Amino acid sequence: MSDDSETADSDEVEIDGTRGFSTNFENTDLGDEESNQGLFDDLLSGEPIFENKEVLRPSYTPHELPHRSDQINKMATILVAALRGETPSNILIYGKTGTGKTASAKFVSKELESTSQKYSVPCDVEYINCEVTDTQYRVLAQLANKFIEKNEERIDEQLSTLESLLDALDEYEATLDARDTHGANTTDRSDDQTASDPFEFALEDATASEATDSSGNKIEPESGESAELGSSPPEAEGYSDPSESKPDSPSTEPDPMSVDDTGNSAAADPTAISPDHPLESTPFESREAVEARIEELEDDRDSFEEVPMTGWPTDRVYSVFFDAVDYDERVVVIMLDEIDKLVEKSGDDTLYNLSRMNSELENSRVSIIGISNDLKFTDFLDPRVKSSLGEEEIVFPPYDANQLRDILEHRSNVAFKDSALSEDVIPLCAAFAAQEHGDARRALDLLRTAGELAERSQAETIVEEHVRQAQDKIELDRVVEVVRTLPTQSKLVLFAIILLEKNGVHSINTGEVFNIYKRLCEEIDADVLTQRRVTDLISELDMLGIVNAVVVSKGRYGRTKEISLSVPLEETEAVLLSDSRLSDIDDVQPFIQARFEN
């Protein structure tokens, strides 16, 4: 069977050069009809509400940011120095969650890079999320690898250009060789009637007819005239006629401008006389120089070594990063989002090294943009780092309800189909988010979740009830995520509180929680913390809003904390039991009952 027939019989097809599988199932035998129960057919039957759901996600960077023009313009006036080849001042951006800090910084960065390409000014912007990349090693390694990748891309572009230049040289030299061969073969062509250029024979015939008298006798050329009138004009080949007499200079003396250092005619060197030579407008003087540059670039590319995410000494990682940044002449803007997380985890060593780089760099210049939710994180920085890092500060205030409404209306025009929103949906989303410190991210999440709930119920319009359901769902999702990411010891303390509440204990005190906590630790063979440390963990759960712990006075018996659960009990317990260690606890009811009997 031929390859063509095999391809024709297969469901595999090629689309835009990529092999995949055809989605045409008209002739496909699905077997038993009962296996096709229309699970997704029912879900697809309703009309979609969304036009582009991604517009409502926090990761989306819009083309316009309402109510942030002042902050954007201030960033632009600082970063415009990069387009002049100068080093921009470092910037610290402050503001609560959802105030548009990251979106504004990314918007300005995109504009900066596009403008730099427009004016051919080398400028690179790199974004690092320090909540994920939270150690000095990881930050430097990620930056080093990004700049190594950029350097390799630029080297590949240069190599492609140089290879094209060599091809142009080959073509040019081949043309010269053909021209020289043609001239040698046509020196004496009186009996040759197979010349490739018929116009040359016409020129010879015309010249011969002009060189005879009325009787047909040949007229001898006078002194100084060319004896080979039938040859093509030398000017047509790009050469000057050395025998041509000039009024001011004797024809027997060579023109000093037309000879090289060895006394040979410059006409023998096409690069010296031909303005269309491939190397004419390049910094290279010969083919050898081009080939040497290609070899140098290939050696540079081979010398790059990607930094592993673990295993190297930090000073080696910094050295590789430094060399990668300084390889090309450019201005580099490093954007560190959640920069306070980096300082909390690793101290200010990273910021110190980055802010001091410019004193050592030869080709590049580095500027830092730090973004933080914590207005006071600089209090923990070294004074030298603080002074060099915080050269410019920009504060993003929270949005009010009217501003949030403008933002939601701006996004909803792109996100939803026409008439998909009732009039009270956007004001309600804005009002809920304004209660939470003017968080635009929360407002967008509310609107998107309300749309998803409406779409799942196959409603044609999003109404107020969908927004309220979305509010409850988001709150529950937040609790689930917080509980899921708690450390094991905090989960054990929370589990103890849940078990007490399930068994009807109200106004739980710290001592009761500690007793159950110890039993749980014995069940899963975990270390038992002191009661003082357990009290601290209860305070942390209180700060997270998972429990409510109030200090009450018992008179002469002292003070104690009365603890109650602030989250849905059953959902929270389910999240805790999804932890593999806590799921090993079997039949906890008896030992809790035994605890009350004692």
Side-chain angles (χ1 to χ4, degrees):
M1 183 179 293
S2 67
D3 293 339
D4 293 340
S5 61
E6 288 178 357
T7 305
D9 292 341
S10 174
D11 288 334
E12 194 172 357
V13 295
E14 187 168 337
I15 302 173
D16 297 334
T18 304
R19 299 195 68 81
F21 288 91
S22 171
T23 55
N24 183 8
F25 298 115
E26 291 181 359
N27 300 323
T28 304
D29 184 10
L30 296 177
D32 187 2
E33 293 184 1
E34 293 182 358
S35 63
N36 181 15
Q37 299 180 11
L39 175 63
F40 291 99
D41 293 337
D42 294 339
L43 297 175
L44 290 172
S45 61
E47 284 293 324
I49 289 179
F50 290 101
E51 188 76 40
N52 183 4
K53 190 189 296 186
E54 298 304 313
V55 174
L56 300 177
R57 297 193 184 277
S59 57
Y60 176 77
T61 302
H63 300 294
E64 182 182 350
L65 288 162
H67 306 292
R68 285 295 176 254
S69 57
D70 291 344
Q71 289 79 10
I72 288 173
N73 290 335
K74 187 172 182 180
M75 270 191 279
T77 56
I78 297 170
L79 294 176
V80 71
L83 299 176
R84 302 190 182 105
E86 303 168 356
T87 307
S89 299
N90 296 325
I91 306 173
L92 279 182
I93 300 174
Y94 300 100
K96 292 184 178 296
T97 302
T99 53
K101 304 182 301 298
T102 301
S104 298
K106 286 185 175 180
F107 174 80
V108 174
S109 298
K110 283 185 178 180
E111 289 291 312
L112 177 65
E113 287 190 309
S114 62
T115 308
S116 70
Q117 294 173 2
K118 176 181 177 182
Y119 292 103
S120 300
V121 179
C123 181
D124 291 330
V125 181
E126 290 300 335
Y127 173 84
I128 300 287
N129 186 345
C130 296
E131 190 167 19
V132 179
T133 311
D134 57 356
T135 65
Q136 179 178 208
Y137 185 102
R138 291 179 180 177
V139 169
L140 294 177
Q142 186 170 333
L143 288 172
N145 290 334
K146 284 187 176 182
F147 282 106
I148 286 174
E149 183 179 350
K150 286 180 178 291
N151 293 340
E152 289 175 340
E153 290 175 357
R154 292 182 180 179
I155 286 176
D156 289 341
E157 290 175 1
Q158 293 180 51
L159 287 174
S160 177
T161 302
L162 293 175
E163 294 290 350
S164 299
L165 186 58
L166 287 180
D167 292 341
L169 272 174
D170 292 338
E171 183 178 349
Y172 184 82
E173 291 171 357
T175 303
L176 287 183
D177 292 341
R179 181 182 301 167
D180 292 342
T181 303
H182 177 72
N185 292 336
T186 58
T187 304
D188 185 9
R189 305 181 292 178
S190 58
D191 296 330
D192 184 5
Q193 300 298 318
T194 61
S196 60
D197 189 354
F199 294 101
E200 293 187 6
F201 284 105
L203 179 61
E204 290 179 0
D205 293 340
T207 306
S209 63
E210 293 174 359
T212 57
D213 58 15
S214 58
S215 301
N217 298 320
K218 183 177 179 181
I219 300 175
E220 294 296 333
E222 297 180 3
S223 176
E225 294 182 4
S226 173
E228 296 180 2
L229 295 174
S231 61
S232 60
E235 291 78 9
E237 301 288 349
Y239 294 89
S240 60
D241 185 359
S243 65
E244 184 178 351
S245 176
K246 296 184 180 180
D248 298 331
S249 60
S251 60
T252 57
E253 292 295 328
D255 185 357
M257 299 301 293
S258 64
V259 296
D260 58 17
D261 295 338
T262 62
N264 297 324
S265 172
D269 181 8
T271 63
I273 62 171
S274 178
D276 61 343
H277 193 279
L279 298 182
E280 179 66 23
S281 58
T282 70
F284 303 104
E285 297 180 355
S286 64
R287 172 187 291 273
E288 289 72 19
V290 177
E291 293 173 344
R293 179 55 179 162
I294 289 176
E295 184 177 355
E296 181 183 355
L297 289 172
E298 289 176 342
D299 290 342
D300 286 347
R301 185 178 58 185
D302 293 340
S303 68
F304 294 142
E305 184 177 5
E306 185 175 347
V307 180
M309 293 313 293
T310 57
W312 282 12
T314 305
D315 57 346
R316 182 183 175 187
V317 180
Y318 177 79
S319 177
V320 172
F321 162 64
F322 183 93
D323 293 340
V325 170
D326 208 33
Y327 180 77
D328 267 344
E329 183 176 349
R330 57 189 161 192
V331 176
V332 174
V333 179
I334 299 174
M335 192 186 309
L336 299 174
D337 201 358
E338 306 286 355
I339 191 174
D340 50 296
K341 300 293 193 301
L342 177 63
V343 174
E344 289 175 8
K345 183 75 176 285
S346 305
D348 55 11
D349 290 344
T350 309
L351 302 182
Y352 180 82
N353 289 330
L354 293 177
S355 62
R356 298 284 171 172
M357 283 184 66
N358 288 328
S359 60
E360 304 173 17
L361 292 170
E362 295 181 1
N363 300 319
S364 299
R365 290 292 177 266
V366 174
S367 176
I368 302 172
I369 299 178
I371 305 174
S372 173
N373 299 329
D374 186 359
L375 299 175
K376 297 182 179 180
F377 95 96
T378 54
D379 296 344
F380 303 100
L381 296 178
D382 183 285
R384 294 171 297 176
V385 177
K386 184 177 181 180
S387 62
S388 61
L389 185 63
E391 294 174 335
E392 298 280 353
E393 295 185 354
I394 302 176
V395 178
F396 280 67
Y399 295 108
D400 60 31
N402 291 329
Q403 292 173 334
L404 289 172
R405 187 180 304 177
D406 291 341
I407 293 171
L408 293 179
E409 288 177 350
H410 186 264
R411 299 278 188 104
S412 64
N413 292 334
V414 183
F416 295 102
K417 293 184 177 294
D418 294 338
S419 304
L421 295 174
S422 62
E423 294 182 356
D424 53 354
V425 168
I426 287 180
L428 186 58
C429 290
F432 278 143
Q435 295 173 1
E436 306 219 359
H437 313 294
D439 189 344
R441 190 174 302 174
R442 179 61 177 268
L444 292 169
D445 285 343
L446 267 175
L447 186 57
R448 189 191 74 253
T449 306
E452 290 172 346
L453 293 173
E455 200 171 58
R456 289 170 194 170
S457 63
Q458 297 188 350
E460 296 181 356
T461 308
I462 305 171
V463 296
E464 178 182 338
E465 181 59 30
H466 294 130
V467 178
R468 297 192 181 278
Q469 291 175 8
Q471 172 81 340
D472 296 337
K473 182 179 185 300
I474 289 176
E475 183 62 29
L476 180 59
D477 290 345
R478 186 190 71 84
V479 170
V480 168
E481 182 63 22
V482 170
V483 172
R484 188 182 62 82
T485 56
L486 285 174
T488 301
Q489 291 289 348
S490 296
K491 287 182 177 179
L492 290 170
V493 173
L494 180 58
F495 201 8
I497 297 171
I498 289 176
L499 293 176
L500 288 168
E501 282 212 355
K502 282 183 67 178
N503 286 273
V505 180
H506 303 289
S507 301
I508 304 167
N509 60 50
T510 307
E512 291 171 330
V513 174
F514 182 69
N515 288 332
I516 302 296
Y517 160 79
K518 286 194 298 183
R519 298 286 184 88
L520 293 175
C521 289
E522 293 170 1
E523 282 283 324
I524 66 170
D525 195 21
D527 295 335
V528 179
L529 302 178
T530 63
Q531 184 166 343
R532 181 182 182 87
R533 180 61 185 137
V534 170
T535 302
D536 292 339
L537 293 179
I538 293 173
S539 298
E540 291 176 9
L541 293 173
D542 183 27
M543 290 177 60
L544 293 171
I546 297 174
V547 302
N548 183 28
V550 181
V551 178
V552 296
S553 174
K554 297 293 185 179
R556 63 177 184 173
Y557 296 104
R559 295 186 303 171
T560 186
K561 279 187 177 179
E562 290 190 350
I563 306 161
S564 60
L565 205 61
S566 301
V567 293
L569 189 147
E570 292 182 0
E571 289 84 350
T572 307
E573 183 182 15
V575 175
L576 291 175
L577 291 175
S578 66
D579 188 312
S580 58
R581 296 193 67 184
L582 272 64
S583 63
D584 294 338
I585 299 174
D586 296 325
D587 194 14
V588 295
Q589 181 67 30
F591 78 79
I592 289 180
Q593 187 64 36
R595 179 244 179 260
F596 291 125
E597 289 176 355
N598 292 336

